[in-house]
Amino acid sequence: MFIIYLTIFFFFFNGALIIYAVRKWKRRSDKDVTPHITHDTRLELVWSLIPLAVVMLIFFWGFTGYVKAWVAPNDAIEIVVTGKKWVWQFEYPDGSRSLNDLHVPVNRPVKLIMHSEDVIHSFFVPAFRLKRDVIPGRYTELWFTATEPGVQQVFCAEYCGKGHSDMLARIFVDSPEQYEIFLKEGDEQVRKMPLKELGKLVYENKGCATCHSLDGTKGQGPSWKGIWAKTHKGADGTEYTVDANYVRQSILQPQAVVVQGFEPIMPTFQGLLREREILGVIEYIKSLE
Ligand code: HEC
Ligand SMILES: [Cu+2]
């Protein structure tokens, strides 16, 4: 606003000076002779030093704002953000983790320390006017203070492959009490939702959907359609039955048994899914005829 008012002032001030000069020194007759003028040191100093003072004021004012926008306060909560095809993973100061759902307490500065495990992603929170690249082999940072409880959408804003548009996360701005409960027990959904629905939610929100289909089509991973209680073959030909223990093992140690015809590319979800979420996935797979 300072710059706008300054600009409006000088627009009218300069305009008035021009009109005044044009009228005062108008050539009135052929006898008017334009005097030979070289310079006026006093005037030149005035029109150099005053603008210099004004732009210096704008510079330092803007610079302090810039530093404030980029350097997190010392008491900020530090959360490590990992981007990987095609999920966002968050790790909190107490070691607990979450996938695609970032919980932060309201009115506390939060600093995100971000890096990527594969290609360049970009952490974009339109509601907070925040966007920054997430790069393999280098940390980038963002910080913010969320001032209203609620849920905000996060996008990946750097094209990173087939699942790019599904690389979504949400920021839950919690009250301090809700945040403490989240750190201890997981969010409300994890604690209260019926298992089957929770499993569906895990499937949609935790990245399973980028590799596993529900309709029988083969993706990067096998479809989940109708696999419950069936006997499948592993890469080395050994047979196994899809039951609760097997599904649990597939989630925590995906490389223990690699399904025949697939690459061992499934990442482990050890520490990323809570016990109840794993039970939910089991119930959900059971329900897929
Ligand atoms: C990057 C792709 C990818 C993601 C993401 C992924 N998986 Fe997988 N998954 C695979 C592949 C590939 C296999 C087959 C090879 C293997 O068993 O390791 C597999 C196998 C499985 C199996 C065994 C299926 C069978 O027919 O025997 C289960 C169960 C499973 N995944 C569950 C999950 C769950 C739950 C999630 C989400 C929390 C998930 N996967 C996320 C790629 C993925
Ligand atoms: Cu991405």
Side-chain angles (χ1 to χ4, degrees):
M1 291 319 287
F2 174 75
I3 293 175
I4 287 182
Y5 290 135
L6 194 73
T7 313
I8 291 172
F9 169 77
F10 275 105
F11 174 77
F12 287 108
F13 181 72
N14 290 355
L17 277 185
I18 289 170
I19 291 167
Y20 172 79
V22 163
R23 294 180 60 128
K24 173 140 198 214
W25 288 289
K26 183 170 182 247
R27 185 169 178 179
R28 286 169 220 280
S29 74
D30 287 349
K31 283 186 203 126
D32 265 359
V33 182
T34 308
H36 181 71
I37 298 169
T38 56
H39 68 286
D40 183 325
T41 309
R42 244 181 0 180
L43 255 185
E44 282 172 20
L45 281 176
V46 166
W47 78 51
S48 300
L49 292 181
I50 291 179
L52 180 71
V54 172
V55 292
M56 279 299 153
L57 175 69
I58 294 173
F59 170 75
F60 283 105
W61 198 344
F63 185 67
T64 48
Y66 177 84
V67 169
K68 228 172 110 188
W70 284 100
V71 180
N74 284 333
D75 62 343
I77 299 175
E78 291 189 0
I79 298 177
V80 177
V81 179
T82 307
K84 55 184 162 187
K85 293 179 185 173
W86 288 284
V87 289
W88 295 105
Q89 180 182 311
F90 305 103
E91 185 162 347
Y92 301 82
D94 71 347
S96 60
R97 296 198 251 172
S98 64
L99 256 192
N100 289 346
D101 287 346
L102 170 61
H103 282 254
V104 298
V106 71
N107 289 330
R108 283 281 307 273
V110 173
K111 176 173 165 183
L112 305 179
I113 299 164
M114 313 189 291
H115 71 114
S116 165
E117 281 189 6
D118 37 46
V119 299
I120 301 180
H121 303 279
S122 178
F123 195 82
F124 179 29
V125 197
F128 295 170
R129 310 289 190 274
L130 284 181
K131 186 198 272 170
R132 195 148 194 213
D133 277 4
V134 177
I135 302 169
R138 184 197 298 180
Y139 297 110
T140 51
E141 293 176 3
L142 273 181
W143 82 274
F144 60 86
T145 302
T147 52
E148 280 172 33
V151 186
Q152 305 298 345
Q153 184 67 52
V154 178
F155 297 94
C156 178
E158 185 69 60
Y159 182 67
C160 55
K162 194 172 131 279
H164 166 66
S165 56
D166 290 324
M167 198 169 163
L168 304 168
R170 285 175 303 171
I171 299 182
F172 291 78
V173 182
D174 292 344
S175 67
E177 301 80 41
Q178 282 173 322
Y179 180 66
E180 285 307 314
I181 296 177
F182 162 75
L183 289 182
K184 282 206 201 81
E185 302 168 32
D187 52 24
E188 190 139 352
Q189 283 168 337
V190 178
R191 281 174 282 131
K192 300 214 178 114
M193 228 182 196
L195 283 176
K196 202 178 107 186
E197 277 172 47
L198 180 62
K200 182 165 189 283
L201 201 78
V202 169
Y203 171 77
E204 286 163 0
N205 287 352
K206 309 290 173 178
C208 321
T210 56
C211 296
H212 295 284
S213 83
L214 301 178
D215 58 3
T217 47
K218 182 176 163 178
Q220 311 232 36
S223 175
W224 286 357
K225 184 183 160 79
I227 59 170
W228 184 256
K230 297 273 159 48
T231 303
H232 287 178
K233 270 208 180 99
D236 57 3
T238 48
E239 299 204 327
Y240 62 88
T241 306
V242 181
D243 58 11
N245 276 320
Y246 170 74
V247 170
R248 188 186 154 81
Q249 186 191 46
S250 295
I251 295 171
L252 301 180
Q253 296 150 270
Q255 262 77 66
V257 178
V258 176
V259 186
Q260 206 165 49
F262 292 92
E263 299 290 320
I265 56 162
M266 178 166 157
T268 173
F269 286 82
Q270 182 94 51
L272 290 173
L273 294 183
R274 293 183 170 81
E275 249 346 279
R276 199 154 187 276
E277 290 174 308
I278 296 176
L279 286 172
V281 171
I282 293 170
E283 284 305 310
Y284 185 53
I285 290 182
K286 210 187 268 185
S287 76
L288 299 167
E289 305 270 295

